[in-house]
Amino acid sequence: MRIAKVVGGVLCVLLVMLLLGGLGFLRFARPLVRSADAATIERTPQRLERGKYLAEVVINCMHCHSEHDDKLFGWPAIRGTYGRGGFAFDRKLGMPGSVQAQNITSDPETGLGAWTDGEILRAMREGIAKNGRALFPMMPYEALRKMSDEDARSIVVYLRSLPPAKKAIPDPQLDFPVSLLVRLAPQPVLAPVPMPNESDHVAWGEYLVTLAGCVDCHTNHERGKAVAGMEYGGGWVMTMPWGRIVTPNISPDPETGIGNTTREAFIGRFKAFESMTTPPPAPPGRNTIMPWVNYSQMSEAELGAMYDYLRTVPPVKNKVANVFPDAG
């Protein structure tokens, strides 16, 4: 018995030492950082057009980095505020603290005006700010690592076209230990990233689904982190100005997901909003952050490829009974 107590005491001491050592490591750990590319990206009309399409439609950067009209369907970004930032991902959305979308206009003091093209690329795909700070992964750099080099350059060209807007954004306020763990998230992009072949529908669909961040919203979260094994299964409860919304299951489960939805019906669901040039007022308590109007501008081929890819992900049985639990 005495030996057991001694061994138990030693193990407790070792556990405490390991814990303190781990915290000490995190306290002084720095994110993996490589030097930003020095080259200036050539501004071409083709890149500007492609970058605008990606940023406003597919990746929908403006949906986070702008101000919104809460009363209009789809919670649209207000065009005159594009890129100014300010939307808070906070505890109402299940975040471990508060992180506000940054000002990505060309303002030199509060935006990206003083950043090099390489620094913007590095932030987008590697999660490192100009000053070397690790970005919280709500900025989806972990997904945008998979964005092709040419698409990434096109987005930089588009961002450079945004008029400067002076709007200072507070630094993130993250809870412990997330404030330390976030330093381990950034990873450098060390090899060229090509564009997938559009003839491979599943690969092309995976690329588009990844850039669109579908898995981010359509997966339940706990303390700001997606629940492993629930990818695309929905269930994330978000508290918005009009009430709570619960993201639906878009996994191929036939009972609770989109397993019984045809390709044509999937495409048609998006294309139904294509003619909606001005979003109408949202029904009370039934607004959504799903940017239907934006995604409706995608081609049928792109939406079909996304469907083809979603059919390949593991089905998740998770019934979302009520997407608008606070609606009257």
Side-chain angles (χ1 to χ4, degrees):
M1 180 68 69
R2 187 168 188 174
I3 293 176
K5 287 183 178 179
V6 171
V7 172
V10 170
L11 289 175
C12 287
V13 170
L14 288 174
L15 183 61
V16 171
M17 291 176 65
L18 286 171
L19 179 61
L20 292 175
L23 291 175
F25 167 76
L26 290 174
R27 173 67 179 82
F28 295 103
R30 293 293 178 266
L32 293 175
V33 180
R34 66 169 184 84
S35 298
D37 296 332
T40 298
I41 297 170
E42 181 184 3
R43 275 64 162 158
T44 66
Q46 293 78 15
R47 279 179 172 158
L48 178 59
E49 181 181 6
R50 175 66 176 171
K52 177 181 174 66
Y53 176 69
L54 290 170
E56 295 186 11
V57 177
V58 182
I59 304 174
N60 226 340
C61 310
M62 297 305 111
H63 210 57
C64 288
H65 291 275
S66 306
E67 297 170 15
H68 298 81
D69 191 324
D70 300 335
K71 294 182 173 59
L72 295 184
F73 175 78
W75 199 53
I78 300 171
R79 184 164 292 275
T81 72
Y82 274 17
R84 294 181 183 180
F87 178 70
F89 296 89
D90 54 21
R91 289 182 176 84
K92 291 185 296 184
L93 299 180
M95 294 295 111
S98 179
V99 181
Q100 293 193 30
Q102 296 298 297
N103 183 339
I104 56 174
T105 71
S106 53
D107 180 67
E109 296 179 7
T110 62
L112 302 178
W115 293 43
T116 67
D117 289 352
E119 287 168 341
I120 298 175
L121 283 172
R122 188 179 62 177
M124 276 198 312
R125 298 203 295 174
E126 302 178 27
I128 299 294
K130 179 180 176 64
N131 61 6
R133 175 176 63 85
L135 301 178
F136 186 68
M138 201 66 216
M139 166 62 195
Y141 55 86
E142 293 174 310
L144 298 185
R145 261 184 216 124
K146 300 175 183 178
M147 179 168 51
S148 77
D149 297 332
E150 181 56 29
D151 274 351
R153 296 186 191 105
S154 296
I155 289 180
V156 173
V157 171
Y158 167 76
L159 292 178
R160 293 298 198 195
S161 74
L162 294 176
K166 195 170 296 297
K167 183 178 181 181
I169 304 298
D171 290 335
Q173 300 295 320
L174 296 173
D175 299 337
F176 176 85
V178 177
S179 56
L180 300 181
L181 292 171
V182 70
R183 300 176 185 179
L184 304 180
Q187 296 289 332
V189 176
L190 300 176
V193 182
M195 185 78 75
N197 192 327
E198 295 184 28
S199 64
D200 184 341
H201 282 202
V202 172
W204 180 236
E206 181 179 13
Y207 182 74
L208 294 168
V209 165
T210 300
L211 294 192
C214 304
V215 72
D216 296 331
C217 285
H218 291 278
T219 303
N220 197 8
H221 284 63
E222 293 179 358
R223 290 187 59 79
K225 185 175 178 59
V227 178
M230 294 297 292
E231 291 82 2
Y232 301 101
W236 189 8
V237 181
M238 304 180 187
T239 302
M240 303 303 293
W242 56 87
R244 290 174 297 163
I245 56 175
V246 186
T247 58
N249 186 339
I250 60 169
S251 81
D253 181 67
E255 296 178 4
T256 63
I258 63 169
N260 289 328
T261 302
T262 66
R263 196 174 194 267
E264 292 70 22
F266 181 87
I267 295 171
R269 181 78 171 91
F270 288 88
K271 285 299 184 180
F273 301 93
E274 191 171 16
S275 62
M276 190 181 288
T277 55
T278 302
R286 292 181 175 273
N287 206 352
T288 176
I289 66 170
M290 176 70 175
W292 289 108
V293 177
N294 301 58
Y295 288 155
S296 73
Q297 305 307 307
M298 298 179 74
S299 70
E300 291 190 8
E302 289 174 317
L303 293 168
M306 294 172 76
Y307 173 87
D308 293 341
Y309 169 68
L310 289 173
R311 298 287 291 187
T312 71
V313 306
V316 176
K317 192 169 295 297
N318 182 38
K319 185 176 182 179
V320 178
N322 191 353
V323 176
F324 306 108
D326 295 331

